[in-house]
Amino acid sequence: QVHLVQSGAEVTKPGASVKVSCMASGYTFINYDIEWVRQVPGQGFEWMGYMNPDNGKTGYAQKFQGRVTMTRDTSINTAYMELYSLRSEDTAVYYCARYDTRQRNGFDMWGQGTMVTVSS
Amino acid sequence: SVLTQSPGTLSLSPGERATLSCRASQSVRTNYLAWYQQKPGQAPRLLISGASTRATGIPDRFSGGGSGTDFTLTISRLEPEDFAVYYCHQYGFGRDTFGQGTRLEIK
């Protein structure tokens, strides 16, 4: 069974950084991009960027360029998203999702989400 | 490309037909348009991709249509478990955007 399991909730201060992990199981990790999307509670979704686990290639939304890094460790089938210089507006649920760039059939599996709270 | 969903809230009864709209400010390239369902406290679930292809395990009462800038999600006969928030999403070219959602509530 395909699963994406994310790390637990984080509470952090303005100006700090946070690193969220996303562990994949039940499929070949390097065959699907990992996408990162966030959702401010009670609001819609905001796409942050993607990472190709096979070659490490990344693409970031312009809004987050210079403030986000997406990486992976293929030995443990885990992707990471690190967001820097946090501000209160970054308080949100962060999701990873997988995307098949060959089938191009949307984000067909999502992690359970990681709540990140930025507060002084 | 901005995706605008309508209506914001749709109040219907079980057994009725639901039609949700998603309009793009620019044509969606190769109709890479997906629909998701989200229930409170849960991650989204993929329903439709490529504007009209149902995802694995999605009941056939869900159907997607449209092309270019105008897309629809139709639920032919609402079941109690269908009451949720629905989002459209244009993807595939590194500039993904989502609609703001349509809340489908029980009348």
Side-chain angles (χ1 to χ4, degrees), chain A residues 2-4 27 96-99 106-111, chain B residues 44 46:
Chain A
V2 175
H3 286 294
L4 294 174
Y27 72 96
C96 61
R98 77 170 191 175
Y99 175 59
F107 296 174
D108 68 343
M109 179 59 57
W110 295 61
Chain B
L46 176 67

Side-chain angles (χ1 to χ4, degrees), chain A residues 29-49:
Chain A
F29 180 57
I30 60 172
N31 285 353
Y32 294 77
D33 281 4
I34 293 292
E35 311 273 342
W36 289 91
V37 177
R38 74 180 187 180
Q39 182 177 33
V40 173
Q43 297 185 29
F45 294 97
E46 187 171 32
W47 179 76
M48 301 179 69

